[in-house]
Amino acid sequence: MAIKYIPEPFRIKMVETIKMLTREEREQKIAEAKYNVFNLRSEDVYIDLLTDSGTNAMSQEQWAGVIRGDEAYAGGSSYFKLIETAQDIFGYKYIQPVHQGRAAEKVLFGLLLEEGKYSISNMHFDTTRAHVELAGGRAIDCVVAEAADPAKRAPFKGNMDVEKLESLINEYGAEKIGLVIMTVTNNSAGGQPVSVQNVRETAEICKKYGIKFCIDAARYAENAYFVKQRESGYENKSIKDIVKEMFSYADMFTMSAKKDTIVNMGGLIGIKEDEELFQACKARTISFEGFTTYGGLSGRDLEALAIGLYEGLDESYLRYRIGQLEYLASRLDEAGIAYQSPVGGHGLFVDAKAMFPHIPYYEFPGQALAIELYKEAGIRACDIGSYMLGNDPDTGEQLKSKFEFTRLAIPRRVYTQAHIDIMAEALIAIKERASEVRGYRITWEPPILRHFQASLEPINK
Ligand SMILES: *Cc1c(COP(=O)(O)O)cnc(C)c1O
């Protein structure tokens, strides 16, 4: 039996019409898109699960805030509202808005990293890794081993391997480590949470060696909800108190606000108390983003973001949000469909290798499943596997990913139980005819980040 669906803790006041094309039309559209889901027009997609980033539905309070937003160049009231809200939630002295997460990384990492320095993280998100490298540094991932086993159900598969972290610090030398980054939740490992204990232990190691500790905070609220559910001692704490404790162990954070703060655009930098670092951040913000009191955003964005920071902490919302994922996961359990388990906070990562054992990694099982989902039900998901990973930059050979996932990322407050059922039913229908599904070959690809632009064709054997 599937678990009970947690009812939506809201009602719907404004709607956006979506439509499902016929199967023939979908087959034609995906062929025209050269079998690359990024080439589809969103109007041809029925349920869009490409990402949970910036695809959230704002509340009536946020839309009212859009009207109230103060568009002053300097010292606007929406700016002060945002700063006070973020200080209240995270307990940091200094807060700087920026236009999105990667802007926070660009502003901050340039001050902490340089040629010959390393950043160690439970797992670097793609743009985080890119900004470590653009600053001259090198990125090392240090996640616990159980993250690599999709079938293993452990409560905190996003954690840092703290023993390995300490041995890496000793191996490279503490003076070479510019930064330790804790990504909450661990996006690249499938939205898996990190325990408060793990954050505290990581902080202790950083302190011992005098290394700066940064939280990559995109999904801080979902992470706190998992802590409340799964970590002993936190059952009776509020989400806000858990967030505050978690952030108290770090020195700074970067945040993409396009995720848990339920807006469509925005980002933040937080610095606990280092005034000199904050001054340097302000200077770089002015060059890259705009004056410090708007940071690349409109006043209306700052206002909606300030409101969303509190809404994202609401426990009945989080129960529904995580409940959607758990309901979908339980329907897949019933049908014997494998995924990165237990299911994470922002998406379900289907194990396409298990679904299509006859498709080798170089024929892209994760991409094949993404295309089948579109053909089956107009659902847009994406490959997180060898297709996304690309080629070895030295040999040009296709790399073999540890996982072949198809990610169904769930936008916040956008889809209902009926939509979630369509996702489950589409996957079940595809599983029933799995042996007929064929792999793909690439007919054209750009040299880097190819998955956004490549053209493919089905292999007919
Ligand atoms: C989305 C994301 C980022 C980058 O943020 P953008 O707003 O897309 O620039 C960084 N880290 C993590 C963990 C993310 O999920």
Side-chain angles (χ1 to χ4, degrees), residues 51-53 184-185 187 191 216-224 256 259-260 321 345-346 407 412:
T51 176
D52 66 318
S53 178
V184 301
T185 56
N187 183 350
D216 180 348
R219 298 180 183 81
Y220 64 100
E222 290 171 7
N223 199 90
S256 167
K259 323 285 173 46
D260 274 7
R321 161 100 181 130
H346 67 288
R407 183 181 78 172
R412 292 168 185 78

Side-chain angles (χ1 to χ4, degrees), residues 53 100-102 105 125 127-128 183 187 216 218-219 256 258-259:
S53 178
Q100 63 184 89
R102 67 199 68 184
E105 292 161 354
F125 179 69
T127 64
T128 317
T183 310
N187 183 350
D216 180 348
R219 298 180 183 81
S256 167
K258 300 172 70 171
K259 323 285 173 46

Side-chain angles (χ1 to χ4, degrees), residues 45-61:
V45 172
Y46 180 53
I47 300 178
D48 203 345
L49 308 179
L50 195 58
T51 176
D52 66 318
S53 178
T55 52
N56 306 305
M58 293 208 295
S59 66
Q60 63 176 354
E61 301 309 322

Side-chain angles (χ1 to χ4, degrees), residues 26-316:
R26 297 196 298 272
E27 284 180 357
Q28 188 192 338
K29 294 287 181 192
I30 193 69
E32 282 167 13
K34 306 260 170 44
Y35 299 96
N36 183 334
V37 294
F38 290 93
N39 289 335
L40 288 169
R41 286 178 175 231
S42 81
E43 65 188 20
D44 297 330
V45 172
Y46 180 53
I47 300 178
D48 203 345
L49 308 179
L50 195 58
T51 176
D52 66 318
S53 178
T55 52
N56 306 305
M58 293 208 295
S59 66
Q60 63 176 354
E61 301 309 322
Q62 289 175 299
W63 280 110
V66 165
I67 305 294
R68 278 197 306 270
D70 181 345
E71 302 300 342
Y73 190 94
S77 61
S78 301
Y79 166 77
F80 290 108
K81 180 169 174 172
L82 173 61
I83 301 306
E84 282 159 24
T85 306
Q87 285 171 335
D88 174 46
I89 292 172
F90 302 108
Y92 283 22
K93 201 162 169 189
Y94 304 113
I95 301 290
Q96 176 60 58
V98 290
H99 86 277
Q100 63 184 89
R102 67 199 68 184
E105 292 161 354
K106 180 179 179 187
V107 166
L108 188 62
F109 293 176
L111 296 164
L112 300 168
L113 292 164
E114 59 192 18
E115 207 77 31
K117 291 226 171 166
Y118 294 87
S119 164
I120 305 176
S121 174
N122 54 341
M123 274 180 108
H124 295 83
F125 179 69
D126 343 1
T127 64
T128 317
R129 175 176 294 271
H131 279 291
V132 165
E133 291 175 0
L134 284 166
R138 285 291 168 264
I140 304 171
D141 287 342
C142 185
V143 71
V144 288
E146 59 209 22
D149 180 359
K152 171 145 192 201
R153 304 207 167 185
F156 292 106
K157 284 168 89 170
N159 277 356
M160 182 86 77
D161 182 338
V162 284
E163 273 173 38
K164 187 172 164 200
L165 170 65
E166 191 155 15
S167 70
L168 284 168
I169 293 169
N170 287 316
E171 184 184 332
Y172 288 97
E175 70 291 347
K176 290 275 174 62
I177 314 298
L179 197 58
V180 167
I181 301 172
M182 187 70 97
T183 310
V184 301
T185 56
N186 190 328
N187 183 350
S188 311
Q192 296 293 319
V194 173
S195 69
V196 174
Q197 184 188 339
N198 189 252
V199 175
R200 190 167 53 234
E201 288 172 1
T202 301
E204 281 162 10
I205 293 171
C206 290
K207 202 163 190 186
K208 177 170 161 192
Y209 292 96
I211 299 167
K212 295 248 189 306
F213 182 30
C214 179
I215 294 180
D216 180 348
R219 298 180 183 81
Y220 64 100
E222 290 171 7
N223 199 90
Y225 184 77
F226 281 119
V227 165
K228 185 166 168 126
Q229 299 303 304
R230 297 178 185 176
E231 190 165 354
S232 81
Y234 292 91
E235 310 77 350
N236 299 318
K237 294 224 157 106
S238 71
I239 298 295
K240 193 175 168 206
D241 285 346
I242 296 170
V243 168
K244 191 162 270 172
E245 179 179 344
M246 187 163 240
F247 280 73
S248 75
Y249 300 122
D251 301 304
M252 61 195 81
F253 69 81
T254 56
M255 179 192 289
S256 167
K258 300 172 70 171
K259 323 285 173 46
D260 274 7
T261 51
I262 330 182
V263 291
N264 305 115
M265 188 53 73
L268 292 176
I269 298 169
I271 294 173
K272 200 201 271 164
E273 55 201 7
D274 185 340
E275 191 188 343
E276 205 179 313
L277 182 62
F278 179 58
Q279 291 301 344
C281 270
K282 288 210 290 197
R284 285 171 68 85
T285 299
I286 293 169
S287 327
F288 295 140
E289 293 285 288
F291 186 61
T292 54
T293 66
Y294 70 88
L297 293 167
S298 302
R300 61 183 85 101
D301 297 329
L302 301 172
E303 188 81 22
L305 177 45
I307 297 164
L309 275 169
Y310 283 135
E311 288 188 3
L313 299 178
D314 177 42
E315 207 170 319
S316 60

